[in-house]
Amino acid sequence: MTTPSYRIEPLFLPASLDAAEAADFLEFSDLSDALALELWGNLDRATPRKARLEGWRDDEYGKLRLFFVRLDGRMVARSWIRFPQQENLQDAFLRVDVLQEFCGRGIGQALLRHVEALAAEDGRSTLQSFTEHAPGFDPDGPGILKPGTGTGGVPAAARGVRFAVAAGYTLEQVTRFSALDMPPSDGVLDALEREATGIAGDQYEILGWTDRCPGEYVEQMAVLMSKMSTDTPAGALHYDAEVWDAKRVRHVEDEWKRTGLESLVAVARDRASGELAAYSVLQHTGEKPWLAEQDDTLVAQAHRGHRLGMLVKVRNLRRLQEDHPEVERVLTFNAAENDHMLAINLALGFRPAGYDGEWQRRR
């Protein structure tokens, strides 16, 4: 049987949202929102237009290429591929999506072959992707495909799962997507903070800032942020240790601002040594006023066991309540096998809201 051929067009990013050449980008953004609504029924996981435009631009750390297919003049499918430029030079990260009413026509296969060929041309031998799965299934029940980690799972019959398996990808890890309704229950933060402080004692102080790390801590933040690539569970997914310095911290902070994010940062500082022992980032954008997103949280290995993860998360949630009382919920993502961080989130009131399958294919 001959697979249909489709015209795969590149997406060119405009200078701004109101530029004359922005029409394709705006339609692509609408397609991305429609795909999110099909799966989740809301736009919680959809990136706002401004954040897409700025976040998709190339920089010294990564290059992104985006593509689409039109049928009868309408964008109905998309793909993208990201090429890391500093570490993970053998890797490419890709994704293919097709609106439900246009599935089964070979569009997804054509898009996948196209981005895989681009990866091969660039010398990338390890391909990674992810599938999204709304709640309503038991990740440990029947009909579940288990990942290489053995923890969690995704529905084996799901369209994205069948597509990935047929294309030769292996499910290496499952990520739990969780949501916290705001504000937290009365007294929950107070009780958790008292308990954690009782364990941490007076060895640490909890500090915070918005958007930009004070100069006196930026080198230490670079050390902590580099550990996100080595000290968090990744199963058999290939990730190189990232090299961070003050320049890279400032680059990320500048990107956050360009994409319209306000970033609340809380850190735990060892009073005796002056060393930063933990950090957590909580982000909010005026384009999605009902929502905040929990970004990185990390406790350096030498300082674990003192409930610092709880303390920095509580500090940020208090600040969020004070500064943005309009926020209705907070989202976060954790590896299904990350029992410690999941326990913190459950204690705070986060509830499972879905799962992502993390896939890999080695050439």
Side-chain angles (χ1 to χ4, degrees):
M1 178 177 177
T2 303
T3 302
S5 60
Y6 295 94
R7 182 184 177 190
I8 298 173
E9 302 181 61
L11 178 69
F12 298 103
L13 300 181
S16 65
L17 292 176
D18 55 3
E21 71 277 13
D24 278 352
F25 173 82
L26 296 176
E27 186 179 358
F28 192 99
S29 191
D30 288 344
L31 168 63
S32 299
D33 287 348
L35 289 162
L37 286 169
E38 278 190 345
L39 179 60
W40 299 103
N42 59 50
L43 294 177
D44 282 7
R45 289 187 53 160
T47 306
R49 284 179 171 178
K50 178 181 177 182
R52 286 178 177 138
L53 179 58
E54 296 304 323
W56 289 351
R57 298 193 190 280
D58 291 348
D59 57 41
E60 63 186 290
Y61 301 103
K63 293 182 179 180
L64 180 69
R65 299 293 177 263
L66 304 107
F67 305 91
F68 59 87
V69 169
R70 276 198 176 96
L71 292 182
D72 298 325
R74 174 188 175 189
M75 279 191 197
V76 301
R78 68 172 188 180
S79 63
W80 55 258
I81 183 166
R82 183 181 294 278
F83 300 105
Q85 297 296 299
Q86 296 293 324
E87 306 87 12
N88 301 304
L89 298 181
Q90 74 179 55
D91 302 339
F93 302 88
L94 57 87
R95 175 76 182 234
V96 172
D97 294 285
V98 182
L99 288 172
Q100 288 179 9
E101 66 180 289
F102 297 95
C103 288
R105 306 187 188 189
I107 302 174
Q109 293 176 20
L111 284 167
L112 181 61
R113 286 195 302 270
H114 176 252
V115 290
E116 287 184 337
L118 293 178
E121 290 173 9
D122 204 65
R124 307 291 171 136
S125 59
T126 301
L127 307 179
Q128 295 180 5
S129 188
F130 66 98
T131 53
E132 302 174 40
H133 305 276
F137 66 94
D138 179 359
D140 296 307
I144 295 298
L145 179 65
K146 304 295 286 187
T149 61
T151 306
V154 295
R159 177 163 53 92
V161 172
R162 290 185 284 110
F163 183 81
V165 170
Y169 288 75
T170 300
L171 181 65
E172 299 289 5
Q173 187 181 47
V174 169
T175 297
R176 184 191 295 182
F177 164 47
S178 303
L180 169 66
D181 292 329
M182 293 291 288
S185 301
D186 291 342
V188 167
L189 296 186
D190 289 341
L192 292 172
E193 187 173 40
R194 281 195 303 270
E195 180 186 18
T197 300
I199 294 171
D202 60 2
Q203 179 180 348
Y204 301 94
E205 62 176 334
I206 308 301
L207 308 173
W209 58 79
T210 301
D211 294 333
R212 197 163 182 85
C213 175
E216 64 190 290
Y217 297 127
V218 68
E219 295 288 351
Q220 290 194 58
M221 279 299 294
V223 173
L224 284 180
M225 294 173 85
S226 72
K227 293 181 183 298
M228 284 298 300
S229 64
T230 60
D231 292 5
T232 56
L237 294 166
H238 175 262
Y239 289 110
D240 291 334
E242 294 181 354
V243 178
W244 283 70
D245 53 17
K247 176 186 174 184
R248 195 164 185 172
V249 174
R250 295 306 188 205
H251 170 82
V252 168
E253 291 174 336
D254 290 343
E255 182 175 306
W256 288 342
K257 288 295 290 182
R258 287 196 308 273
T259 58
L261 290 173
E262 178 188 69
S263 302
L264 307 180
V265 183
V267 299
R269 176 179 175 272
D270 187 312
R271 296 179 189 273
S273 66
E275 180 180 60
L276 295 187
Y279 81 104
S280 187
V281 182
L282 187 61
Q283 296 179 316
H284 175 266
T285 174
E287 294 187 71
K288 294 166 72 172
W290 70 90
L291 195 73
E293 295 191 32
Q294 175 67 61
D295 198 54
D296 293 349
T297 298
L298 181 128
V299 180
Q301 288 187 357
H303 296 277
R304 292 179 178 175
H306 297 87
R307 299 291 177 90
L308 300 182
M310 178 66 79
L311 288 172
V312 291
K313 285 196 171 191
V314 167
R315 170 62 67 91
N316 272 344
L317 286 172
R318 289 194 188 283
R319 292 187 62 205
L320 182 68
Q321 283 184 270
E322 294 171 1
D323 297 349
H324 297 288
E326 72 276 14
V327 170
E328 299 172 9
R329 56 189 168 275
V330 179
L331 309 184
T332 192
F333 296 82
N334 301 99
E337 69 271 25
N338 192 348
D339 293 335
H340 179 70
M341 198 58 68
L342 286 171
I344 292 175
N345 290 337
L346 287 171
L348 287 166
F350 281 90
R351 52 181 171 77
Y355 298 86
D356 285 6
E358 312 291 345
W359 299 82
Q360 183 167 263
R361 176 184 169 190
R362 296 182 184 268
R363 295 184 183 275

